[in-house]
Amino acid sequence: VQLQASGGGLVQPGGSLRLSCAASGTFFSVSTMGWYRQSPGKQRDLVATITSGGGTNYADSVKGRFTISRDNAKNTVYLQMNSLKPDDTAVYYCNADVRSSWYSRTVAYWGQGTQVTVSS
């Protein structure tokens, strides 16, 4: 299983970016998918998660500004980030809980990370 993230970059404060992350390979199902972020010297923190049924959870710091969504047919999760602030600067990692077969336990996979820099 591989997770390929894309969409990061440099944006001015108040701007927007959209991140994408696609799961590929051979597996049975993908349940919860999400985004986390990590700044230099800090731990990796939850940004948002979404279940296969569409249930969402957000960090307080991004509520009202970020929207997580997914396309189950494409095993892809998105993060629409609006009203970006300098504090949102971090490496953003996607995460997916994957079952390789119907009898397997769920295993968490991580993408390679994509840099988001918010600066004027």
Side-chain angles (χ1 to χ4, degrees):
V1 179
Q2 290 188 328
L3 298 181
Q4 183 66 45
S6 61
L10 173 64
V11 64
Q12 292 186 342
S16 299
L17 282 175
R18 189 189 193 213
L19 306 183
S20 300
C21 177
S24 62
T26 302
F27 47 84
F28 176 70
S29 66
V30 180
S31 53
T32 300
M33 302 183 80
W35 291 95
Y36 294 72
R37 65 187 181 187
Q38 187 169 20
S39 302
K42 296 185 178 181
Q43 66 181 18
R44 188 174 298 185
D45 291 327
L46 167 75
V47 176
T49 61
I50 184 167
T51 67
S52 57
T56 59
N57 179 49
Y58 294 92
D60 288 342
S61 60
V62 307
K63 284 181 180 177
R65 300 188 298 122
F66 291 9
T67 302
I68 190 169
S69 61
R70 65 188 284 172
D71 183 332
N72 288 333
K74 297 180 179 179
N75 293 309
T76 300
V77 62
Y78 307 95
L79 186 68
Q80 178 65 44
M81 304 185 293
N82 299 327
S83 303
L84 283 161
K85 305 175 182 179
D87 284 349
D88 295 318
T89 296
V91 177
Y92 284 69
Y93 296 90
C94 60
N95 169 276
D97 292 335
V98 180
R99 293 176 66 189
S100 59
S101 64
W102 67 269
Y103 53 84
S104 301
R105 65 182 179 89
T106 297
V107 176
Y109 289 87
W110 292 91
Q112 83 282 10
T114 183
Q115 177 71 47
V116 172
T117 302
V118 185
S119 175
S120 56

